[in-house]
Amino acid sequence: MTFKPVRKAVLPVAGLGTRFLPATKAMPKEMLTVVDKPLIQYAVEEALEAGIEQIIFVTGRNKSALEDHFDISYELEDTMRARGKSLSALEGLRQKPGSPVYVRQQEPLGLGHAVWCARDIVGDEPFAVLLPDELMAGTPGFLSQMVEAYRQVGGNVIGALEVADSETDKYGIISPGKVYGRLTEVTALVEKPARGTAPSNLMIPGRYILQPEVMRILETQEKGAGGEIQLTDAMAQLIGRQPFHGYTFDGARYDCGDKAGYIQANLALALQREDIGPVVREFARALLN
Ligand code: UTP
């Protein structure tokens, strides 16, 4: 069976980023840099690698740095050319004409609401959602792996990652059914379950492939955990109506909306680099000794 291809990706970037103040006071957290690229660029590259044709940013305040980052900077390029400098560092920023698109979330009412703000551009087709503050490092990328799984089962495919018992109250949690390799049937979803009540240790990281019906549900979705309109609550209503699976990522997740996670991402990615890896490794060793 063939399923409708996933051509569009929604990247919500309208959150307040309060866990990363003061850095995020005047700048969106998605512009925070891991080694030499802002988080947002990692997410866009992951989406393009997975075959996404249209990127839809849901922005809020302080969006201009994001927009500028994906524009061509003629001034910068001309000056660099005139000085004989390589433009290779600017590669990966060019997208197809018509992409990206920016929609506005006027009030930060929650992730579910942010996704719903993209409904008119998503239209009537399956779409991906990537939360750029979660950096997913793997080959191929997380979304590519999920698209491959979606080609086999269709419906909704969301990320799934095991966490410790003490962590389950921080995340959306999957109630698992049958397991086939990296795919787990989802029988229920619960957002931030109280300690000791989680149906499993499988949390939902910030990667989703969803059917457009979720937009109709979000339209009337009431506020949930934390007084926010939760994507998890809307997705939960699709279970039983459409195929719904979790996909366990073969790779690493870094929560860069969190200060410790962000430092870990910088260290891990810097150590993998051919250019700066040896220097950083040497420094880290000396520091720990
Ligand atoms: P978070 O839960 O990390 O919230 O959002 P936040 O506001 O960005 O950060 P903290 O907790 O205050 O530090 C998860 C994702 O959903 C987006 C965020 O931009 C992030 O990508 N989001 C969240 C929105 O776009 N709008 C919202 O109303 C809430």
Side-chain angles (χ1 to χ4, degrees), residues 10-192:
V10 178
L11 277 65
V13 291
L16 294 176
T18 55
R19 282 172 296 153
F20 224 123
L21 283 166
T24 48
K25 185 167 176 241
M27 179 187 81
K29 69 174 160 185
E30 294 78 9
M31 286 304 292
L32 287 169
T33 306
V34 173
V35 184
D36 54 4
K37 272 194 289 195
L39 285 168
I40 193 75
Q41 192 176 339
Y42 287 95
V44 166
E45 287 175 1
E46 183 187 329
L48 297 180
E49 182 210 11
I52 295 297
E53 294 168 17
Q54 182 159 56
I55 304 283
I56 306 160
F57 292 110
V58 182
T59 66
R61 82 227 145 91
N62 304 326
K63 62 166 181 167
S64 55
L66 284 164
E67 292 191 356
D68 290 345
H69 189 68
F70 290 101
D71 272 349
I72 296 170
S73 172
Y74 292 105
E75 223 176 283
L76 177 66
E77 292 190 11
D78 280 354
T79 311
M80 286 175 74
R81 251 184 235 107
R83 293 184 185 169
K85 289 190 194 280
S86 159
L87 296 182
S88 60
L90 298 175
E91 271 168 21
L93 288 171
R94 300 252 160 88
Q95 294 166 51
K96 288 193 172 176
S99 178
V101 173
Y102 296 85
V103 297
R104 192 95 175 176
Q105 183 190 27
Q106 286 177 320
E107 257 185 292
L109 296 176
L111 175 59
H113 180 256
V115 169
W116 179 75
C117 289
R119 66 199 176 283
D120 289 338
I121 299 160
V122 165
D124 196 26
E125 55 181 287
F127 63 101
V129 178
L130 296 94
L131 307 190
D133 55 341
E134 291 181 45
L135 198 161
M136 305 295 185
T139 316
F142 199 170
L143 194 64
S144 292
Q145 294 181 27
M146 285 172 66
V147 165
E148 195 48 46
Y150 166 81
R151 286 201 186 108
Q152 293 160 30
V153 291
N156 303 276
V157 178
I158 62 175
L161 270 180
E162 217 161 296
V163 290
D165 285 342
S166 56
E167 299 271 288
T168 50
D169 58 337
K170 294 188 195 152
Y171 303 106
I173 300 290
I174 292 173
S175 181
K178 285 190 196 132
V179 179
Y180 318 83
R182 293 192 168 272
L183 279 169
T184 302
E185 236 170 43
V186 176
T187 60
L189 295 171
V190 44
E191 184 63 37
K192 301 190 177 69

Side-chain angles (χ1 to χ4, degrees), residues 255-274:
D255 179 5
C256 294
D258 170 80
K259 290 172 192 175
Y262 174 73
I263 300 295
Q264 288 165 13
N266 270 288
L267 188 57
L269 270 65
L271 288 173
Q272 286 165 16
R273 291 265 298 243
E274 273 177 26

Side-chain angles (χ1 to χ4, degrees), residues 189-225:
L189 295 171
V190 44
E191 184 63 37
K192 301 190 177 69
R195 285 254 168 127
T197 67
S200 78
N201 282 28
L202 279 183
M203 67 81 108
I204 312 168
R207 298 294 183 275
Y208 315 78
I209 293 173
L210 299 173
Q211 296 299 317
E213 285 74 18
V214 78
M215 293 295 195
R216 251 89 79 197
I217 297 171
L218 282 167
E219 187 107 34
T220 53
Q221 185 66 47
E222 301 282 333
K223 286 181 180 166

